[in-house]
């Protein structure tokens, strides 16, 4: 046989779990108390007293059953959400496997972009460079600054052109 105190100790963790989830969802512990209290037909103060183990609070059978039902709904909601996420992950894994195997043409994998055979040649797409590239011999030679020379740019200021 179970005493009222033992029943309360079994219900309290469920109540705390519901409040924790509602707090994350609603952004406030007080809003969580109000929301759950309205669903249970109790005040937010009553919920705080139950969680705080106040000696003057009574949890009746009807309250315990309502808390258990709310907890089971929460668990079902979480399980349903997990199942939906897992189904989406499986779908994405299948699409990734197909794309990596190359079963589909490239245009289908890239959302309608032309395949390599359909795209113009690279030389036709790239414009010629307008400025000539200097040879490495024409680049100024750099020498290390003396350790006492500092500049505003410590990484680039450590090197200066050689005369």
């Amino acid at each position: 046989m179970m005493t009222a105190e033992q029943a309360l100790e079994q219900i309290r963790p469920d109540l705390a779990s519901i409040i924790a989830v509602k707090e994350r969802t609603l952004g406030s512990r007080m809003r969580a108390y109000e929301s759950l209290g309205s669903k249970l037909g109790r005040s937010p103060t009553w919920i705080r007293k139950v969680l705080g183990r106040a000696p003057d609070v009574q949890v009746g059978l009807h309250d315990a059953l309502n808390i258990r039902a709310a907890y089971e709904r929460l668990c079902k909601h979480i399980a349903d959400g997990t199942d939906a996420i897992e189904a989406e992950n499986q779908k994405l894994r299948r699409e990734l496997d197909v794309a990596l195997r190359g079963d589909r043409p490239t245009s289908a994998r890239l959302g309608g972009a032309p395949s390599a055979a359909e795209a113009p040649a690279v030389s036709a797409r790239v414009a010629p460079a307008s400025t000539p590239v200097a040879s490495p011999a024409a680049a100024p030679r750099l020498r290390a600054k003396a350790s006492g020379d500092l500049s505003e740019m410590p990484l680039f200021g450590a090197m200066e052109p050689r005369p």
Side-chain angles (χ1 to χ4, degrees), residues 112-156:
S115 66
E118 298 168 355
V122 172
S123 61
R125 290 184 293 170
V126 176
S130 61
T131 58
V133 177
S135 68
R141 294 189 180 183
L142 299 176
R143 68 172 177 85
K145 279 188 172 182
S147 62
D149 296 340
L150 295 176
S151 73
E152 297 80 36
M153 297 175 27
L155 292 177
F156 300 108

Side-chain angles (χ1 to χ4, degrees), residues 47-134:
I47 293 172
R48 284 194 305 271
K49 285 183 176 184
V50 170
L51 291 173
R53 293 181 172 84
D56 63 332
V57 70
Q58 295 292 322
V59 179
L61 178 61
H62 184 29
D63 297 323
L65 291 174
N66 285 341
I67 292 169
R68 175 57 75 176
Y71 181 73
E72 288 174 359
R73 282 192 306 271
L74 173 65
C75 290
K76 183 176 179 343
H77 177 73
I78 291 171
D80 291 346
T82 303
D83 291 343
I85 290 170
E86 184 59 33
E88 180 67 21
N89 284 345
Q90 287 297 328
K91 177 184 166 199
L92 292 173
R93 283 186 192 110
R94 283 191 302 273
E95 289 177 3
L96 181 62
D97 288 342
V98 168
L100 291 175
R101 279 194 316 244
D103 290 349
R104 297 184 300 167
T106 307
S107 61
R109 287 194 301 260
L110 298 175
S115 66
E118 298 168 355
V122 172
S123 61
R125 290 184 293 170
V126 176
S130 61
T131 58
V133 177

